[in-house]
Amino acid sequence: MENIKPLKADLEKYVDFDRATTAPKFFQAFSGGYGEGDQFLGVSVPDQRKVAKRFYKQVSKKEMATLLNDPIHEVRHTAIFMLVLRFQKSKEPKNWVDLYLKNLNRIDNWDLVDSSAYQILGEWLVDKPRDVLYQLAKEESIWKKRIAMVATMQFIRNDDYKDTFKLAEILLQHPHDLIQKAVGWMLKEIGKRNQEAEEVFLKKHYKKMPRTMLRYAIEKFPEDKRKAYLNGEI
């Protein structure tokens, strides 16, 4: 574990105490919040990325797993950035996908999900069966559901929308706003590439969608069309 102590010491050089004070509220780490119990140093994402780039080549898989399970949020996030880099540059990327999947329980806030789901899992599944996403979508954890949904960003970038739509149907009426936002976000991403495809889905489902999901999905539409959807006039 020779790299863990120096990595943490490097992160501590960037501590911002004001950020450490506000982060628990931003990530709902208070009692009853979705990030309850999480701890924060107060290190910005750009600074986490700097540390990740300095350490990712030498960090072992065992060290990576330890860092992914650290109680400090920014340590876990830095580990995510390193894991993405190792996955992208590895001749055996499956090893890093497996490590990611084994540690999903600690990919436990929206920023950790959004920095890894499509960059690792989505990219890996572009040309493979995607059963794992449907398994994750049925898990109780909102983070695993969000991973399933956000992973499809990589498919969308390849103009492959079928799994996004199928998962959106599964999660269509989920009560948590972080799932509603994730579904709406992915539908919006489809619409940015193919608005007709998105609208085929919306016309079938939009009246049943939670308002948050719908607002995210139609965010890039012209004002008159947004109003029509919001007023149920499509």
Side-chain angles (χ1 to χ4, degrees):
M1 298 294 181
E2 62 181 345
N3 291 299
I4 291 180
K5 188 173 181 180
L7 183 148
K8 289 184 175 182
D10 203 12
L11 275 175
E12 288 172 2
K13 295 176 185 176
Y14 299 101
V15 166
D16 178 327
F17 292 105
D18 289 337
R19 185 183 295 273
T21 300
T22 59
K25 182 178 180 180
F26 187 66
F27 291 104
Q28 291 201 22
F30 47 78
S31 179
Y34 55 69
E36 182 176 356
D38 212 350
Q39 302 173 43
F40 296 85
L41 284 174
V43 180
S44 71
V45 167
D47 289 333
Q48 291 171 45
R49 289 188 183 275
K50 290 176 188 175
V51 175
K53 287 179 180 178
R54 283 197 282 270
F55 281 87
Y56 82 94
K57 291 182 181 179
Q58 61 259 40
V59 170
S60 69
K61 290 177 188 173
K62 188 173 182 179
E63 289 172 328
M64 192 84 80
T66 298
L67 292 166
L68 286 169
N69 285 275
D70 196 90
I72 303 297
H73 186 95
E74 293 94 336
V75 174
R76 299 200 307 283
H77 205 182
T78 302
I80 285 293
F81 292 136
M82 291 193 295
L83 186 56
V84 170
L85 288 167
R86 290 299 289 267
F87 167 75
Q88 290 173 341
K89 297 176 184 297
S90 177
K91 294 180 180 178
E92 296 181 350
K94 185 178 184 298
N95 291 334
W96 301 103
V97 176
D98 289 343
L99 182 64
Y100 181 68
L101 291 172
K102 286 177 182 177
N103 291 278
L104 285 188
N105 287 339
R106 293 302 279 155
I107 315 300
D108 57 357
N109 214 308
W110 59 264
D111 59 330
L112 306 181
V113 172
D114 298 355
S115 296
S116 61
Y118 70 88
Q119 299 91 330
I120 297 174
L121 192 55
E123 177 62 29
W124 175 247
L125 295 174
V126 162
D127 58 355
K128 297 175 182 65
R130 299 165 185 177
D131 300 32
V132 63
L133 299 184
Y134 294 89
Q135 294 167 12
L136 291 174
K138 294 175 183 176
E139 292 274 357
E140 183 176 349
S141 163
I142 62 167
W143 307 120
K144 290 180 180 178
K145 292 179 188 297
R146 188 172 172 108
I147 287 168
M149 196 71 230
V150 175
T152 70
M153 172 79 86
Q154 204 64 39
F155 314 153
I156 294 168
R157 291 179 173 181
N158 290 316
D159 296 314
D160 176 359
Y161 312 137
K162 60 183 182 298
D163 290 292
T164 304
F165 288 142
K166 287 179 182 178
L167 288 162
E169 287 183 329
I170 292 170
L171 300 171
L172 192 70
Q173 295 182 305
H174 196 279
H176 203 291
D177 70 329
L178 286 174
I179 301 303
Q180 295 171 16
K181 290 174 181 178
V183 174
W185 173 24
M186 291 304 106
L187 293 174
K188 176 176 67 178
E189 292 299 320
I190 291 174
K192 285 159 64 175
R193 303 179 71 90
N194 188 331
Q195 186 172 319
E196 182 180 354
E198 183 190 3
E199 287 206 73
V200 168
F201 181 89
L202 287 177
K203 287 173 182 176
K204 182 178 179 181
H205 296 293
Y206 84 96
K207 289 184 178 180
K208 297 176 287 185
M209 282 183 176
R211 206 69 165 173
T212 297
M213 186 185 294
L214 179 59
R215 286 185 181 278
Y216 268 67
I218 63 176
E219 184 179 1
K220 297 297 183 181
F221 285 10
E223 179 66 20
D224 58 343
K225 183 165 281 192
R226 285 205 308 274
K227 288 182 177 179
Y229 272 105
L230 290 170
N231 293 331
E233 297 169 349
I234 295 294

